[in-house]
Amino acid sequence: MIGPLIAAFATGEIGLTVERTKRAVLAYVVALVFVLLGVSFLLVAGYIQLARMFGPLVAALGLGIGFVVIGGIVLVVHQSRARTEQRRVAEKRKTDLVSLGATAAIAALPNMMRGRRGRATGAAAAVTPLVLGVAYALYQRRRNADDPGA
């Protein structure tokens, strides 16, 4: 994975890529400025037409209230989606931590149950299958709770 990056650096392609990126960013910024100018003139034209039809004060109030309402709707939708995403990430993190903890415990269990000479003691040999069975049952229960379709 790092090999192509080193090869690109050695051949000078990174410098060319940086230059292309700079030119692209500049082109997008210039295009954005002209698009914003165009939208501004369209808004002015809309205001002039509304002012002819309803008067300047009503036109200005209508456009102002309309833009505030649109901005409010955008913020409410964004906050709702952000909360949903935060909840989903927190649930996934919790599930991942439980799985990681169970995996680490199962992996460390044989080493923790060994006697002084490196062999399993009688109690450890008897308890290990029981502990593994309980861990597997907890894992299955957690997996079924996370997957309502299962």
Side-chain angles (χ1 to χ4, degrees):
M1 181 168 202
I2 197 159
L5 182 62
I6 292 172
F9 182 71
T11 60
E13 288 183 28
I14 289 182
L16 295 174
T17 303
V18 168
E19 288 300 317
R20 274 194 308 260
T21 304
K22 284 181 184 178
R23 283 193 303 267
V25 167
L26 180 63
Y28 286 126
V29 167
V30 170
L32 177 65
V33 167
F34 282 106
V35 166
L36 290 175
L37 284 171
V39 169
S40 299
F41 275 100
L42 289 173
L43 287 172
V44 169
Y47 169 77
I48 291 171
Q49 183 60 32
L50 288 174
R52 284 185 183 161
M53 293 170 53
F54 302 109
L57 181 62
V58 173
L61 285 173
L63 284 174
I65 290 171
F67 288 131
V68 168
V69 167
I70 290 171
I73 290 170
V74 168
L75 285 177
V76 166
V77 168
H78 171 70
Q79 288 176 346
S80 172
R81 286 188 173 183
R83 273 190 300 250
T84 302
E85 179 70 15
Q86 282 178 338
R87 228 177 281 122
R88 188 187 65 76
V89 167
E91 288 175 9
K92 178 155 177 35
R93 184 180 306 124
K94 183 177 164 184
T95 303
D96 290 348
L97 284 175
V98 168
S99 298
L100 180 64
T103 303
I106 290 170
L109 190 62
N111 287 335
M112 292 188 318
M113 296 223 167
R114 292 194 197 278
R116 289 185 180 176
R117 296 193 179 142
R119 287 192 274 172
T121 61
V127 172
T128 301
L130 178 67
V131 171
L132 291 176
V134 169
Y136 182 73
L138 290 173
Y139 167 74
Q140 287 291 23
R141 192 170 115 199
R142 181 69 178 176
R143 190 176 77 170
N144 290 338
D146 288 341
D147 188 14

